[in-house]
Amino acid sequence: MNERQDGISKAVIVAGGRGTRFLPATLAIPKEILPIFDRPMLFYALEEAANSGLKEVVLISAPGKSVMENYVTLRGEALAKALGEHPSAPEVQGLMDSLSVTIVHQNEPLGLGHAILQAADAVGDEPFAVILPDDIVDAETPVLAQMLAAYRDYPGIHVGVERVPGEAISAYGVVDVEPVDGDNERVYRVTGMVEKPELADAPSDLGIVGRYIFPGAIFDAIRRTPPGAKNEIQITDAMEILRREGTPTFAFAFDGVRYDAGNPLGHLRAAASFALARPDTSEQARAMLEEALSQAG
Ligand code: G1P
């Protein structure tokens, strides 16, 4: 049963990629299972969904990623036995037991829009949220919870955004915006968007970060979306179709620190930051990092 006021109970977590930026590790291990400090990348996405009140996860997986699928399937007795007396046991068990996870497959890597389309049957015709687990945001209030609160005041499509330096902008979906009525300074109305523009063509410096809220109509829009940037079916293009057809579309400048854990250096930065932030490890982490820095000269 969906008891949320905003009618959203499902989070689609997109994890069907091949992880080529993490080769050779990803020859055998899905990128989403690589630990960031001591928890798999996917764990942070599951945690964000649960802590935002979304207990039904649709995980987009792909052939060959059974290790990841096994991870999200462990429950109850089996999970308790595997965790044993480990200090993380209560937290991990509490999280996993609170979530239902439906797994669907993206059988061919045809783009993010195509990946999200694979969730159509599992989601049905209702609004839902999307998390790209590469984008980890450390925030007091989970980003999705922040966005769901804004969605209640501004129904429509929502995308998370942050300011991106010019040299990196061509890796993002980029939005053009104008102010909205009302007093939420983090919400903008989107007046256009483009996937992976050249710097000269970028409509602003607001890059889309991997958090979205969509109406069920997005699936039909994806079916009508031709291949775009990188010759892939892009979710940005599907959103732009709905926006032009009249769906109110908003960009949300979230509060939090975002880590691009989809590449090895961003992954390292996230791991170091998390180890430094945890009371039980911060002192040792700082000493180790300082030592590593001085050794490197
Ligand atoms: C995807 C989206 C892009 C977004 C980015 C955020 O791109 O297509 O619009 O800005 O995620 O991480 P990808 O990183 O998969 O190329």
Side-chain angles (χ1 to χ4, degrees), residues 21 112-113 132 134-135 160 169 171-174 194-196 207-212 230 232 234-236 239 258 260:
R21 279 178 292 183
L112 177 57
L132 308 187
D134 280 3
D135 285 321
I169 202 85
Y172 290 81
V174 183
V194 50
E195 180 66 18
K196 301 197 185 348
I208 299 174
V209 165
R211 300 293 183 278
Y212 306 82
K230 291 163 69 185
E232 291 177 348
Q234 297 291 349
I235 195 63
T236 304
M239 286 193 282
R258 175 235 179 186
D260 178 5

Side-chain angles (χ1 to χ4, degrees), residues 174-195:
V174 183
V175 294
D176 204 357
V177 297
E178 62 182 28
V180 286
D181 296 334
D183 56 8
N184 191 331
E185 286 175 0
R186 298 190 172 276
V187 182
Y188 302 87
R189 180 176 297 275
V190 175
T191 57
M193 62 192 126
V194 50
E195 180 66 18

Side-chain angles (χ1 to χ4, degrees), residues 62-208:
K65 300 186 93 164
S66 57
V67 167
M68 176 177 76
E69 293 168 14
N70 294 343
Y71 189 93
V72 295
T73 315
L74 268 177
R75 287 290 183 290
E77 282 290 293
L79 180 60
K81 207 170 158 217
L83 286 164
E85 300 290 309
H86 192 267
S88 70
E91 176 198 351
V92 177
Q93 254 176 292
L95 172 65
M96 297 312 292
D97 287 343
S98 76
L99 291 171
S100 77
V101 181
T102 304
I103 296 169
V104 298
H105 274 186
Q106 183 190 25
N107 290 321
E108 293 169 285
L110 300 181
L112 177 57
H114 175 261
I116 293 171
L117 180 58
Q118 310 313 306
D121 287 345
V123 169
D125 185 26
E126 57 184 72
F128 64 101
V130 172
I131 299 178
L132 308 187
D134 280 3
D135 285 321
I136 298 182
V137 183
D138 189 14
E140 217 157 284
T141 305
V143 185
L144 263 188
Q146 295 177 38
M147 289 174 63
L148 288 164
Y151 172 84
R152 285 192 272 276
D153 295 333
Y154 300 92
I157 295 173
H158 281 246
V159 294
V161 293
E162 72 172 7
R163 300 205 180 274
V164 171
E167 67 272 13
I169 202 85
S170 63
Y172 290 81
V174 183
V175 294
D176 204 357
V177 297
E178 62 182 28
V180 286
D181 296 334
D183 56 8
N184 191 331
E185 286 175 0
R186 298 190 172 276
V187 182
Y188 302 87
R189 180 176 297 275
V190 175
T191 57
M193 62 192 126
V194 50
E195 180 66 18
K196 301 197 185 348
E198 294 299 324
L199 177 56
D201 303 326
S204 76
D205 64 348
L206 289 173
I208 299 174

